[in-house]
Every structure is written in C-alpha cells, then in structure tokens.
Amino acid sequence: MQAAFDAAASGMENNEGGPFGAVVVLEGKIIGRGNNKVTSHNDPTAHAEVVAIRDACKTMQTFHLPDAIIYTNCEPCPMCMAAIYWANIKTVYYYYDRHQAEDIGFSDKFIYDEFEKPINERSVAMKKIDMVVQNDVFDGWKNKSDKTPY
C-alpha cells in the first residue's frame, strides 16, 4: 500500500494529476505502477488504477491478470472498477473511500446515480441505429477460427 501512496505523492508533486496512486502485485512483486495522469496527459481515462493495469499488462505481455492484486490509495471509481474486472483482478486493497475523495473534490456520485437510471433517462443520450451493414464484424468474429478468446 505504501507504494501506491508513494506513486500518488510523486504524481501530485510533479503536477501530473490528482492525489491517486496504484500498484499491481503478482506473487509479492510489483508488476505495474500508476499515478493519476489525467491533467498532464489530457486523458480522462488516465486514472492511477488504469495506468497501473496498463503497465502490468505490458510487463506481463497479457491482457488478463487473474492472479494479481491491486493496491490503490483510494476506492476505485466506476471506470477503474470496470478495468479491474476486465483485467480479471480478483482483489482490491484501498485506503480512502469514495466519500473521502468527494470531500476533497473528486466525486463519482453522479456516475453511480446515472447507472441506476434507465438508459433513456441518463444525461448521456444513447441512440441505437438500425441499418443494414455491409460488413457484419460480429458474424466475422463468431466465425473467426484464429481469434484470441477473451
């Protein structure tokens, strides 16, 4: 956990983003490090957990980390939790919770609230398009013999 706090402090001191840090650990060794880089990279997805997962996946040359754990100094936001699920990480250790993050100006409450609403009542408009497609990539994927399964 201290390594996550160290990453957060370093990133914050270097004006890379907010006070968030994370490390991915496998068999007692850090395989990925990340700190928030949202403002320095102009990337709203560059949260500490996502950066650490990207680093770990690059290190391990894989997109699944089922035996890894992640330490983060703050409870992951909905986006980061989704990334954790997609990476198949089974355990998250965190220090601050989402309410403490909200107290310093980082609130994800609106996202949690949005997810509770029916799709047609959300603030981001979702419009399904019905059309005839020339290249049905879903059928192509279903029938692809050399695909890498997820």
Side-chain angles (χ1 to χ4, degrees), residues 20 47 74 77-78 97-113:
F20 305 103
H47 289 199
C74 189
C77 74
D97 66 28
R98 70 177 88 164
H99 307 290
Q100 291 169 295
E102 186 173 356
D103 288 344
I104 64 163
F106 295 91
S107 178
D108 299 316
K109 183 179 182 325
F110 74 99
I111 298 173
Y112 288 107
D113 291 346

mmCIF file of all heavy atoms in Angstrom, residues 20 47 74 77-78 97-113:
data_model
loop_
_atom_site.group_PDB
_atom_site.id
_atom_site.type_symbol
_atom_site.label_atom_id
_atom_site.label_comp_id
_atom_site.label_asym_id
_atom_site.label_seq_id
_atom_site.Cartn_x
_atom_site.Cartn_y
_atom_site.Cartn_z
ATOM 1 N N PHE A 20 -3.759 10.341 -6.530
ATOM 2 C CA PHE A 20 -4.129 8.931 -6.588
ATOM 3 C C PHE A 20 -2.972 8.100 -7.132
ATOM 4 O O PHE A 20 -2.314 8.493 -8.101
ATOM 5 C CB PHE A 20 -5.366 8.737 -7.473
ATOM 6 C CG PHE A 20 -6.525 9.581 -7.029
ATOM 7 C CD1 PHE A 20 -6.853 10.740 -7.712
ATOM 8 C CD2 PHE A 20 -7.265 9.236 -5.915
ATOM 9 C CE1 PHE A 20 -7.911 11.534 -7.303
ATOM 10 C CE2 PHE A 20 -8.326 10.018 -5.494
ATOM 11 C CZ PHE A 20 -8.655 11.181 -6.186
ATOM 12 N N HIS A 47 -6.520 7.342 -15.025
ATOM 13 C CA HIS A 47 -6.577 7.204 -13.569
ATOM 14 C C HIS A 47 -5.470 6.253 -13.121
ATOM 15 O O HIS A 47 -4.993 5.417 -13.903
ATOM 16 C CB HIS A 47 -7.928 6.650 -13.139
ATOM 17 C CG HIS A 47 -9.064 7.614 -13.308
ATOM 18 N ND1 HIS A 47 -10.256 7.468 -12.648
ATOM 19 C CD2 HIS A 47 -9.187 8.739 -14.056
ATOM 20 C CE1 HIS A 47 -11.072 8.445 -12.975
ATOM 21 N NE2 HIS A 47 -10.444 9.231 -13.839
ATOM 22 N N CYS A 74 -7.068 4.900 -2.997
ATOM 23 C CA CYS A 74 -8.458 5.325 -2.896
ATOM 24 C C CYS A 74 -9.369 4.304 -3.580
ATOM 25 O O CYS A 74 -8.978 3.707 -4.590
ATOM 26 C CB CYS A 74 -8.641 6.700 -3.537
ATOM 27 S SG CYS A 74 -10.249 7.430 -3.257
ATOM 28 N N CYS A 77 -12.943 4.277 -8.840
ATOM 29 C CA CYS A 77 -14.155 4.829 -9.439
ATOM 30 C C CYS A 77 -14.812 3.756 -10.311
ATOM 31 O O CYS A 77 -14.223 2.698 -10.552
ATOM 32 C CB CYS A 77 -13.809 6.071 -10.258
ATOM 33 S SG CYS A 77 -12.993 5.694 -11.830
ATOM 34 N N PRO A 78 -16.007 4.014 -10.822
ATOM 35 C CA PRO A 78 -16.662 3.014 -11.678
ATOM 36 C C PRO A 78 -15.836 2.614 -12.906
ATOM 37 O O PRO A 78 -15.790 1.436 -13.264
ATOM 38 C CB PRO A 78 -17.962 3.703 -12.094
ATOM 39 C CG PRO A 78 -18.259 4.655 -10.982
ATOM 40 C CD PRO A 78 -16.904 5.148 -10.531
ATOM 41 N N ASP A 97 -11.989 5.988 1.019
ATOM 42 C CA ASP A 97 -13.187 5.554 0.305
ATOM 43 C C ASP A 97 -13.719 6.686 -0.564
ATOM 44 O O ASP A 97 -13.201 7.807 -0.551
ATOM 45 C CB ASP A 97 -14.254 5.011 1.269
ATOM 46 C CG ASP A 97 -14.839 6.058 2.213
ATOM 47 O OD1 ASP A 97 -14.881 7.258 1.869
ATOM 48 O OD2 ASP A 97 -15.279 5.661 3.308
ATOM 49 N N ARG A 98 -14.754 6.402 -1.326
ATOM 50 C CA ARG A 98 -15.293 7.377 -2.289
ATOM 51 C C ARG A 98 -15.816 8.632 -1.610
ATOM 52 O O ARG A 98 -15.790 9.711 -2.190
ATOM 53 C CB ARG A 98 -16.357 6.743 -3.168
ATOM 54 C CG ARG A 98 -17.643 6.423 -2.438
ATOM 55 C CD ARG A 98 -18.695 5.857 -3.347
ATOM 56 N NE ARG A 98 -18.545 4.415 -3.422
ATOM 57 C CZ ARG A 98 -19.473 3.607 -3.881
ATOM 58 N NH1 ARG A 98 -20.602 4.080 -4.332
ATOM 59 N NH2 ARG A 98 -19.276 2.321 -3.907
ATOM 60 N N HIS A 99 -16.284 8.519 -0.371
ATOM 61 C CA HIS A 99 -16.804 9.687 0.348
ATOM 62 C C HIS A 99 -15.670 10.619 0.765
ATOM 63 O O HIS A 99 -15.816 11.847 0.728
ATOM 64 C CB HIS A 99 -17.635 9.235 1.549
ATOM 65 C CG HIS A 99 -18.696 8.251 1.163
ATOM 66 N ND1 HIS A 99 -19.808 8.600 0.416
ATOM 67 C CD2 HIS A 99 -18.791 6.916 1.373
ATOM 68 C CE1 HIS A 99 -20.546 7.529 0.204
ATOM 69 N NE2 HIS A 99 -19.951 6.494 0.770
ATOM 70 N N GLN A 100 -14.546 10.043 1.133
ATOM 71 C CA GLN A 100 -13.375 10.862 1.454
ATOM 72 C C GLN A 100 -12.846 11.560 0.204
ATOM 73 O O GLN A 100 -12.410 12.709 0.270
ATOM 74 C CB GLN A 100 -12.287 9.998 2.099
ATOM 75 C CG GLN A 100 -12.675 9.511 3.496
ATOM 76 C CD GLN A 100 -11.720 8.453 4.013
ATOM 77 O OE1 GLN A 100 -11.637 7.368 3.450
ATOM 78 N NE2 GLN A 100 -10.983 8.791 5.061
ATOM 79 N N ALA A 101 -12.893 10.883 -0.939
ATOM 80 C CA ALA A 101 -12.480 11.510 -2.196
ATOM 81 C C ALA A 101 -13.419 12.663 -2.537
ATOM 82 O O ALA A 101 -12.973 13.725 -2.994
ATOM 83 C CB ALA A 101 -12.467 10.478 -3.321
ATOM 84 N N GLU A 102 -14.694 12.470 -2.303
ATOM 85 C CA GLU A 102 -15.666 13.531 -2.569
ATOM 86 C C GLU A 102 -15.378 14.761 -1.704
ATOM 87 O O GLU A 102 -15.509 15.898 -2.169
ATOM 88 C CB GLU A 102 -17.079 13.016 -2.310
ATOM 89 C CG GLU A 102 -18.163 13.993 -2.687
ATOM 90 C CD GLU A 102 -19.562 13.397 -2.586
ATOM 91 O OE1 GLU A 102 -19.701 12.200 -2.293
ATOM 92 O OE2 GLU A 102 -20.514 14.167 -2.805
ATOM 93 N N ASP A 103 -14.932 14.523 -0.475
ATOM 94 C CA ASP A 103 -14.628 15.634 0.436
ATOM 95 C C ASP A 103 -13.500 16.531 -0.067
ATOM 96 O O ASP A 103 -13.409 17.693 0.331
ATOM 97 C CB ASP A 103 -14.255 15.098 1.831
ATOM 98 C CG ASP A 103 -15.446 14.547 2.593
ATOM 99 O OD1 ASP A 103 -16.608 14.836 2.214
ATOM 100 O OD2 ASP A 103 -15.213 13.812 3.580
ATOM 101 N N ILE A 104 -12.629 16.004 -0.945
ATOM 102 C CA ILE A 104 -11.543 16.837 -1.488
ATOM 103 C C ILE A 104 -11.785 17.208 -2.951
ATOM 104 O O ILE A 104 -10.872 17.637 -3.652
ATOM 105 C CB ILE A 104 -10.158 16.185 -1.292
ATOM 106 C CG1 ILE A 104 -10.029 14.872 -2.071
ATOM 107 C CG2 ILE A 104 -9.846 15.986 0.186
ATOM 108 C CD1 ILE A 104 -8.607 14.393 -2.251
ATOM 109 N N GLY A 105 -13.026 17.012 -3.419
ATOM 110 C CA GLY A 105 -13.387 17.493 -4.749
ATOM 111 C C GLY A 105 -13.426 16.459 -5.857
ATOM 112 O O GLY A 105 -13.554 16.817 -7.023
ATOM 113 N N PHE A 106 -13.318 15.184 -5.523
ATOM 114 C CA PHE A 106 -13.358 14.119 -6.529
ATOM 115 C C PHE A 106 -14.576 13.246 -6.271
ATOM 116 O O PHE A 106 -14.529 12.315 -5.479
ATOM 117 C CB PHE A 106 -12.076 13.276 -6.484
ATOM 118 C CG PHE A 106 -10.847 14.033 -6.864
ATOM 119 C CD1 PHE A 106 -10.083 14.676 -5.895
ATOM 120 C CD2 PHE A 106 -10.437 14.110 -8.188
ATOM 121 C CE1 PHE A 106 -8.938 15.380 -6.238
ATOM 122 C CE2 PHE A 106 -9.293 14.811 -8.542
ATOM 123 C CZ PHE A 106 -8.549 15.449 -7.567
ATOM 124 N N SER A 107 -15.671 13.562 -6.930
ATOM 125 C CA SER A 107 -16.909 12.832 -6.704
ATOM 126 C C SER A 107 -17.320 12.038 -7.932
ATOM 127 O O SER A 107 -17.348 12.565 -9.049
ATOM 128 C CB SER A 107 -18.041 13.786 -6.332
ATOM 129 O OG SER A 107 -19.240 13.067 -6.153
ATOM 130 N N ASP A 108 -17.646 10.779 -7.709
ATOM 131 C CA ASP A 108 -18.168 9.915 -8.763
ATOM 132 C C ASP A 108 -19.650 9.628 -8.553
ATOM 133 O O ASP A 108 -20.225 8.811 -9.262
ATOM 134 C CB ASP A 108 -17.405 8.585 -8.785
ATOM 135 C CG ASP A 108 -15.933 8.776 -9.055
ATOM 136 O OD1 ASP A 108 -15.599 9.567 -9.951
ATOM 137 O OD2 ASP A 108 -15.115 8.135 -8.363
ATOM 138 N N LYS A 109 -20.241 10.333 -7.596
ATOM 139 C CA LYS A 109 -21.639 10.077 -7.251
ATOM 140 C C LYS A 109 -22.544 10.192 -8.465
ATOM 141 O O LYS A 109 -23.446 9.372 -8.652
ATOM 142 C CB LYS A 109 -22.093 11.030 -6.148
ATOM 143 C CG LYS A 109 -23.518 10.789 -5.680
ATOM 144 C CD LYS A 109 -23.916 11.743 -4.581
ATOM 145 C CE LYS A 109 -25.303 11.520 -4.052
ATOM 146 N NZ LYS A 109 -26.318 11.090 -4.986
ATOM 147 N N PHE A 110 -22.321 11.185 -9.320
ATOM 148 C CA PHE A 110 -23.194 11.365 -10.477
ATOM 149 C C PHE A 110 -23.145 10.149 -11.406
ATOM 150 O O PHE A 110 -24.148 9.791 -12.026
ATOM 151 C CB PHE A 110 -22.852 12.652 -11.235
ATOM 152 C CG PHE A 110 -21.584 12.584 -12.057
ATOM 153 C CD1 PHE A 110 -21.644 12.351 -13.424
ATOM 154 C CD2 PHE A 110 -20.350 12.763 -11.466
ATOM 155 C CE1 PHE A 110 -20.479 12.292 -14.177
ATOM 156 C CE2 PHE A 110 -19.184 12.700 -12.210
ATOM 157 C CZ PHE A 110 -19.243 12.460 -13.576
ATOM 158 N N ILE A 111 -21.993 9.481 -11.493
ATOM 159 C CA ILE A 111 -21.888 8.295 -12.341
ATOM 160 C C ILE A 111 -22.657 7.137 -11.714
ATOM 161 O O ILE A 111 -23.423 6.446 -12.397
ATOM 162 C CB ILE A 111 -20.420 7.909 -12.592
ATOM 163 C CG1 ILE A 111 -19.696 9.028 -13.337
ATOM 164 C CG2 ILE A 111 -20.333 6.593 -13.379
ATOM 165 C CD1 ILE A 111 -18.208 8.830 -13.481
ATOM 166 N N TYR A 112 -22.461 6.928 -10.416
ATOM 167 C CA TYR A 112 -23.221 5.882 -9.744
ATOM 168 C C TYR A 112 -24.719 6.136 -9.898
ATOM 169 O O TYR A 112 -25.487 5.210 -10.175
ATOM 170 C CB TYR A 112 -22.862 5.823 -8.250
ATOM 171 C CG TYR A 112 -21.496 5.252 -7.969
ATOM 172 C CD1 TYR A 112 -20.441 6.072 -7.566
ATOM 173 C CD2 TYR A 112 -21.246 3.891 -8.086
ATOM 174 C CE1 TYR A 112 -19.190 5.555 -7.297
ATOM 175 C CE2 TYR A 112 -19.993 3.361 -7.819
ATOM 176 C CZ TYR A 112 -18.970 4.195 -7.426
ATOM 177 O OH TYR A 112 -17.739 3.670 -7.163
ATOM 178 N N ASP A 113 -25.135 7.379 -9.757
ATOM 179 C CA ASP A 113 -26.556 7.733 -9.911
ATOM 180 C C ASP A 113 -27.035 7.481 -11.337
ATOM 181 O O ASP A 113 -28.146 6.988 -11.546
ATOM 182 C CB ASP A 113 -26.800 9.192 -9.530
ATOM 183 C CG ASP A 113 -26.622 9.462 -8.045
ATOM 184 O OD1 ASP A 113 -26.569 8.496 -7.250
ATOM 185 O OD2 ASP A 113 -26.523 10.647 -7.674
#
